[in-house]
Coordinates of all heavy atoms in Angstrom, one line a residue:
L90 N 95.6 64.9 20.5 CA 96.6 64.0 20.9 C 96.2 62.6 20.8 O 95.0 62.3 20.9 CB 97.1 64.3 22.3 CG 96.2 64.3 23.5 CD1 97.1 64.0 24.7 CD2 95.5 65.6 23.6
M91 N 97.1 61.7 20.4 CA 96.8 60.3 20.4 C 96.8 59.8 21.8 O 97.7 60.1 22.6 CB 97.9 59.6 19.6 CG 97.7 58.1 19.5 SD 96.1 57.7 18.7 CE 96.5 58.0 17.0
T92 N 95.7 59.1 22.1 CA 95.6 58.4 23.4 C 95.4 56.9 23.2 O 95.4 56.5 22.1 CB 94.3 59.0 24.1 OG1 93.1 58.4 23.6 CG2 94.2 60.5 24.1
T93 N 95.4 56.2 24.3 CA 95.2 54.8 24.3 C 93.8 54.4 23.8 O 93.6 53.3 23.4 CB 95.5 54.2 25.7 OG1 94.6 54.8 26.6 CG2 96.9 54.3 26.1
R94 N 93.0 55.4 23.6 CA 91.6 55.2 23.1 C 91.4 56.0 21.8 O 90.2 56.3 21.5 CB 90.6 55.6 24.1 CG 90.6 54.7 25.4 CD 89.6 55.0 26.3 NE 89.6 54.0 27.4 CZ 88.6 53.9 28.3 NH1 87.6 54.7 28.2 NH2 88.7 53.0 29.3
G95 N 92.4 56.3 21.1 CA 92.3 57.0 19.9 C 92.6 58.5 20.0 O 93.0 59.0 21.1
I96 N 92.4 59.3 19.0 CA 92.6 60.7 18.9 C 91.6 61.4 19.7 O 90.4 61.2 19.5 CB 92.7 61.2 17.5 CG1 93.9 60.5 16.8 CG2 92.9 62.7 17.5 CD1 93.9 60.8 15.3
K97 N 92.0 62.3 20.6 CA 91.1 63.2 21.4 C 91.6 64.6 21.4 O 92.8 64.9 21.1 CB 91.0 62.7 22.8 CG 90.4 61.3 22.9 CD 90.1 60.9 24.3 CE 89.5 59.5 24.3 NZ 88.5 59.3 25.2
T98 N 90.7 65.5 21.7 CA 91.2 66.9 21.8 C 91.7 67.1 23.2 O 91.5 66.3 24.1 CB 90.0 67.9 21.6 OG1 89.1 67.7 22.7 CG2 89.3 67.7 20.3
M99 N 92.5 68.2 23.4 CA 93.0 68.5 24.7 C 91.9 68.7 25.7 O 92.0 68.4 26.9 CB 93.9 69.7 24.6 CG 94.8 69.9 25.8 SD 96.1 68.6 25.9 CE 95.9 68.2 27.6
D100 N 90.8 69.3 25.2 CA 89.7 69.6 26.1 C 89.0 68.3 26.6 O 88.5 68.3 27.7 CB 88.6 70.5 25.4 CG 89.2 71.9 25.2 OD1 90.0 72.4 26.0 OD2 88.7 72.6 24.3
Q101 N 89.1 67.3 25.8 CA 88.5 66.0 26.2 C 89.4 65.3 27.2 O 89.0 64.6 28.2 CB 88.3 65.0 25.0 CG 87.2 65.4 24.1 CD 87.2 64.6 22.9 OE1 88.2 64.4 22.2 NE2 86.0 64.1 22.5
V102 N 90.7 65.5 27.1 CA 91.7 64.9 27.9 C 91.9 65.6 29.3 O 92.1 65.0 30.3 CB 93.1 64.8 27.2 CG1 94.2 64.4 28.2 CG2 93.0 63.9 26.0
L103 N 91.7 66.9 29.2 CA 91.8 67.8 30.4 C 90.6 68.7 30.5 O 90.8 69.9 30.3 CB 93.1 68.5 30.4 CG 93.6 69.1 31.8 CD1 93.8 68.1 32.9 CD2 94.9 69.9 31.5
P104 N 89.4 68.2 30.8 CA 88.2 69.1 30.8 C 88.3 70.1 32.0 O 88.9 69.8 33.0 CB 87.1 68.2 31.0 CG 87.7 67.0 31.6 CD 89.1 66.9 31.1
D105 N 87.8 71.3 31.7 CA 87.7 72.3 32.8 C 89.1 72.7 33.3 O 89.3 72.9 34.5 CB 86.8 71.9 33.9 CG 85.4 71.6 33.5 OD1 84.9 72.4 32.6 OD2 84.8 70.7 34.0
A106 N 90.1 72.7 32.4 CA 91.5 73.0 32.8 C 91.7 74.4 33.3 O 91.0 75.3 32.9 CB 92.4 72.7 31.6
F107 N 92.7 74.5 34.2 CA 93.1 75.8 34.7 C 94.3 76.2 33.9 O 95.2 75.4 33.6 CB 93.5 75.6 36.2 CG 94.0 76.9 36.8 CD1 93.1 77.8 37.3 CD2 95.4 77.2 36.8 CE1 93.6 79.0 37.9 CE2 95.8 78.4 37.4 CZ 94.9 79.3 37.9
G108 N 94.3 77.4 33.3 CA 95.3 77.9 32.5 C 95.7 79.3 32.7 O 95.1 80.0 33.6

Side-chain angles (χ1 to χ4, degrees):
L90 61 156
M91 180 58 75
T92 74
T93 56
R94 295 184 176 192
I96 297 172
K97 296 191 180 218
T98 67
M99 195 69 229
D100 290 335
Q101 290 173 308
V102 171
L103 194 62
D105 301 322
F107 180 85

